[in-house]
């Protein structure tokens, strides 16, 4: 107990065989009645004890006669050790304090050889000091002595108090924080979590304290989470780590994680404090903006492509119109110049050329009208019973390739189809062969497909279709060779595919070692 102190606090005791810290086995202090200083070794020991900051004293227990005290102990009473040694401690204490001290030390004995306590030492004109006391009973032939050692722990007490207050402030701030917070062990286990984090992760505090941070992290983000826990990776992300967390129902929430490592005085990491801000809404909005931007880029690309296609188409249409118009104009001029005197053979030749190019103009206009109907969704098929072989042979006979085209077909093949559209399918396939394989032999095959469906194939011996172009030959406005003498409008084969689609079928280009091999397949009508 602090002799002459007031306001004792936290008094406690332990049963230990000896005194801990400085003041254990102090030679004459423990064994002799006093330190006389007559012996050289005793004098050296006394000088050493006087130099210690601890308060050290030895009393006779029954009357509290001071057998020894060092300078630090005597200074508590404004005295020198020589003024106290050999006299009762009452010379430095008031009667009430003396009786309290005697009653306190009377507790020491065989059953309780050691008392430990911490008291506040108050002296006039001085700041209060906190002293940690260890008092030990030293048996002898009589009532025994008491060895008292007091250590000033004021600075340590203030540090502990400040730490306690800091921890309490942090605990309150963490509990009331609007963002998720957690204290995480070095093994990633969650040691403490606040209500905001529980709400974010959809789990109770008890559930989270059974888990690690990796248990609630999206599997694809675990490596990034582990890397972020190391200094270099954390330095590379000063704004924090954006990661996904998995809730018990499987839903995903996004969080912005920032961590701070708490270290021991020697710099060893103790635990990590993590803060998580819910950024799910922001991430979702950013994703919407990204998709919208991607869609806008696609639209912009599509508009640019449409502009290019439009220009190409207009150029192609102008070319396709100009050629027959030039011929018609030339033929008409010739007929007018020759007048009635033209011979019949020449007239027939000119008139046939006029008819052929007029038909070519008509076909082109029909295609343009069909493209317009397709764009407006106004094009449909009118299916009826149709003998397909005769229709195909008629189209071949009327085409410019009739002289080098062979038709392979059964004697007859009945189907349900739109005759005009079937004629356009076959005619456009033949026109494509004539354009890209002029003069080559053409094979046309007609076969049944299902109960009342059909399949038409046109094979030529031209340069064929490059593999990269095979998927695009039936796209609208796509032209395989823009430098071709007759590049076309890019809508002939597109109409083939669209007419096939209107019949529930499809069109494609088969791989071929030589020449083009185009196929149109129309299934039986649905019942």
């Amino acid at each position: 107990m602090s002799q002459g102190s007031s306001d004792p606090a936290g008094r406690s005791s332990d049963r230990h065989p000896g005194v801990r810290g400085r003041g254990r086995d102090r030679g004459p202090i423990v064994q002799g009645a006093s330190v006389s200083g007559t012996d050289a070794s005793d004098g050296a020991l006394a000088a050493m004890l006087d130099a210690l900051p601890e308060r050290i004293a030895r009393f006779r227990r029954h009357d509290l006669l001071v057998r020894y005290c060092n300078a630090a102990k005597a200074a508590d009473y404004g005295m020198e050790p020589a003024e106290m040694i050999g006299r009762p401690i009452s010379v430095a204490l008031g009667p009430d304090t003396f009786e309290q001290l005697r009653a306190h030390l009377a507790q020491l004995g065989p059953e309780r050889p050691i008392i430990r306590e911490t008291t506040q030492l108050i002296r006039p004109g001085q700041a209060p000091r906190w002293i940690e006391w260890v008092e030990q009973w030293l048996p002898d032939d009589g009532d025994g002595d008491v060895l008292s050692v007091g250590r000033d722990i004021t600075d340590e007490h203030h540090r502990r108090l400040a730490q306690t207050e800091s921890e309490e402030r942090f605990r309150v701030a963490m509990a009331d924080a609007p963002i998720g917070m957690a204290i995480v062990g070095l093994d990633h286990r969650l040691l403490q979590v606040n209500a905001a984090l529980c709400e974010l992760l959809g789990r109770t505090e008890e559930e989270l304290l059974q888990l690690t941070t990796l248990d609630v992290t999206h599997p694809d983000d675990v490596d990034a989470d582990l890397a972020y826990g190391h200094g270099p990776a954390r330095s590379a992300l000063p704004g924090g780590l954006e990661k996904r967390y998995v809730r018990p129902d499987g839903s995903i929430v996004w969080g912005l994680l920032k961590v701070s490592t708490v270290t021991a005085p020697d710099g060893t990491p103790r635990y990590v404090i993590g803060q998580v801000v819910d950024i799910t809404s922001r991430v979702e909005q950013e994703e919407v903006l990204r998709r919208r931007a991607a869609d806008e880029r696609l639209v912009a690309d599509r508009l640019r492509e449409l502009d290019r296609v439009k220009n190409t188409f207009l150029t192609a249409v102008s070319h396709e119109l100009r050629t027959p118009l030039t011929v018609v104009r030339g033929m008409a001029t010739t007929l007018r110049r020759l007048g009635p005197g033209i011979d019949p053979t020449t007239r027939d030749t000119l008139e046939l050329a006029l008819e052929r190019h007029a038909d070519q103009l008509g076909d082109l206009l029909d295609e343009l009208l069909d493209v317009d109907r397709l764009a407006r969704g106004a094009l449909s098929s009118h299916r009826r019973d149709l003998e397909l072989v005769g229709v195909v042979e008629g189209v071949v006979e009327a085409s410019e390739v009739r002289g080098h085209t062979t038709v392979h077909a059964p004697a007859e093949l009945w189907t349900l189809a739109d005759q005009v559209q079937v004629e356009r399918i076959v005619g456009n396939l033949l026109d494509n062969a004539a354009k890209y394989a002029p003069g080559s032999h053409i094979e046309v095959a007609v076969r049944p497909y299902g109960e009342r469906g059909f399949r038409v194939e046109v094979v030529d011996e031209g340069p064929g279709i490059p593999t990269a172009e095979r998927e695009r030959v039936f796209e609208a406005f796509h032209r395989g060779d823009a430098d071709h003498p007759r590049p076309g409008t890019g809508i002939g084969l597109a109409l083939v595919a669209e007419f096939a689609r209107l019949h529930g079928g499809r069109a494609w280009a088969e791989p071929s070692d030589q020449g083009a091999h185009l196929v149109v397949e129309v299934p039986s009508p649905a019942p």
Side-chain angles (χ1 to χ4, degrees):
M1 182 174 180
S2 172
Q3 298 80 34
S5 67
S6 62
D7 189 23
R11 185 175 296 178
S12 62
S13 65
D14 290 311
R15 298 177 181 273
H16 290 285
V19 179
R20 293 181 179 177
R22 298 171 184 170
R24 181 181 180 183
D25 299 331
R26 288 286 172 85
I29 296 176
V30 175
Q31 298 172 4
S34 66
V35 177
S36 66
T38 58
D39 183 82
S41 62
D42 287 351
L45 177 60
M48 180 189 72
L49 295 178
D50 281 342
L52 293 176
E54 286 84 354
R55 295 152 169 81
I56 303 173
R58 179 170 178 169
F59 308 98
R60 193 164 59 192
R61 192 176 71 153
H62 74 277
D63 58 2
L64 298 188
L65 178 77
V66 180
R67 290 180 176 273
Y68 170 80
C69 76
N70 69 348
K73 178 67 174 178
D76 278 344
Y77 308 106
M79 303 174 69
E80 295 293 331
E83 297 179 77
M84 298 183 63
I85 295 175
R87 304 172 66 184
I89 190 65
S90 58
V91 299
L93 302 177
D96 293 341
T97 304
F98 175 78
E99 291 301 326
Q100 291 176 8
L101 175 61
R102 184 159 62 178
H104 169 66
L105 296 180
Q107 301 176 70
L108 290 168
E111 297 300 321
R112 190 178 183 185
I114 295 175
I115 294 177
R116 286 184 172 85
E117 65 177 358
T118 298
T119 62
Q120 190 179 39
L121 179 63
I122 300 177
R123 290 287 182 265
Q126 299 180 12
R129 310 294 295 178
W130 287 90
I131 310 298
E132 180 183 66
W133 297 98
V134 177
E135 291 147 338
Q136 181 180 5
W137 176 62
L138 302 175
D140 59 11
D141 294 339
D143 199 27
D145 286 355
V146 174
L147 177 63
S148 174
V149 178
R151 183 170 66 92
D152 191 329
I153 61 168
T154 302
D155 292 343
E156 180 181 337
H157 173 78
H158 289 161
R159 283 195 300 271
R160 285 200 300 261
L161 183 61
Q163 181 178 354
T164 300
E165 292 176 350
S166 175
E167 290 175 351
E168 177 62 16
R169 286 195 299 268
F170 176 77
R171 185 193 66 79
V172 173
M174 177 176 173
D176 296 339
I179 64 173
M181 295 185 67
I183 295 178
V184 183
L186 300 181
D187 58 354
H188 308 288
R189 187 163 296 281
L190 292 162
L191 305 178
Q192 186 176 338
V193 296
N194 69 348
L197 187 64
C198 294
E199 182 178 358
L200 175 66
L201 300 182
R203 298 176 186 269
T204 65
E205 180 180 359
E206 291 74 17
E207 289 172 334
L208 286 176
L209 295 183
Q210 301 299 317
L211 303 174
T212 69
T213 57
L214 305 182
D215 294 327
V216 295
T217 298
H218 191 283
D220 293 344
D221 293 344
V222 167
D223 290 343
D225 185 70
L226 291 173
Y228 182 63
H230 296 81
R234 197 183 307 168
S235 300
L237 294 169
L241 173 68
E242 294 186 2
K243 55 175 286 190
R244 289 163 290 181
Y245 294 91
V246 183
R247 294 164 64 96
D249 61 2
S251 61
I252 303 297
V253 291
W254 279 86
L256 175 62
L257 170 67
K258 296 195 72 172
V259 300
S260 301
T261 301
V262 177
T263 60
D266 63 356
T268 304
R270 293 179 58 198
Y271 55 85
V272 171
I273 297 176
Q275 302 178 65
V276 183
V277 179
D278 186 353
I279 59 171
T280 305
S281 296
R282 194 203 79 194
V283 171
E284 290 175 348
Q285 291 171 0
E286 289 175 349
E287 180 62 24
V288 169
L289 292 176
R290 277 195 294 269
R291 291 178 180 174
R292 188 175 299 166
D295 291 342
E296 290 174 353
R297 285 194 297 270
L298 288 175
V299 170
D301 291 344
R302 182 59 179 162
L303 289 174
R304 283 192 292 270
E305 176 64 14
L306 287 175
D307 187 63
R308 185 194 66 79
V309 168
K310 178 201 70 175
N311 294 334
T312 302
F313 176 69
L314 291 176
T315 300
V317 168
S318 298
H319 180 273
E320 291 292 309
L321 288 172
R322 186 180 298 111
T323 299
L325 282 174
T326 300
V327 174
V328 168
R329 186 181 295 112
M331 297 296 181
T333 301
T334 300
L335 285 172
R336 187 177 66 252
R337 180 172 54 82
L338 293 177
I342 189 173
D343 63 274
T345 302
T346 301
R347 177 178 292 277
D348 288 343
T349 301
L350 292 175
E351 290 176 348
L352 287 173
L354 283 171
E355 290 179 4
R356 185 169 68 253
H357 285 88
D359 289 342
Q360 187 176 342
L361 284 172
D363 292 342
L364 178 58
L365 290 174
D366 287 342
E367 287 187 346
L368 293 175
L369 290 173
D370 285 340
V371 169
D372 177 65
R373 295 189 191 98
L374 284 173
R376 293 185 290 107
L379 191 62
S380 60
S381 63
H382 303 283
R383 305 177 74 164
R384 60 182 181 81
D385 286 327
L386 182 69
E387 201 286 296
L388 183 63
V389 176
V391 172
V392 172
E393 289 176 341
V395 174
V396 171
E397 186 60 29
S399 71
E400 61 181 285
V401 297
R402 59 185 177 276
H404 48 89
T405 299
T406 303
V407 177
H408 304 279
E412 61 178 24
L413 176 59
W414 286 92
T415 185
L416 277 174
D418 186 310
Q419 181 172 344
V420 174
Q421 292 180 2
V422 170
E423 289 174 344
R424 296 287 296 283
I425 288 174
V426 177
N428 287 358
L429 291 175
L430 292 175
D431 286 346
N432 184 76
K435 183 184 302 180
Y436 291 101
S440 75
H441 186 70
I442 300 173
E443 301 280 342
V444 178
V446 181
R447 298 186 179 88
Y449 179 65
E451 184 177 350
R452 301 202 66 184
F454 63 89
R455 178 172 175 149
V456 175
E457 300 179 55
V458 175
V459 181
D460 61 48
E461 297 176 349
I465 303 172
T467 302
E469 294 288 318
R470 197 175 297 143
E471 296 295 327
R472 303 193 60 197
V473 293
F474 290 97
E475 290 182 8
F477 310 118
H478 178 72
R479 299 184 301 166
D481 183 3
D483 297 327
H484 193 277
R486 289 179 57 195
T489 60
I491 59 176
L493 292 184
L495 288 174
V496 169
E498 189 61 27
F499 291 145
R501 186 191 65 80
L502 291 173
H503 283 75
R506 62 192 183 105
W508 72 93
E510 281 282 343
S512 177
D513 295 335
Q514 182 178 2
H517 184 176
L518 304 181
V519 182
V520 173
E521 192 173 77
V522 174
S524 301

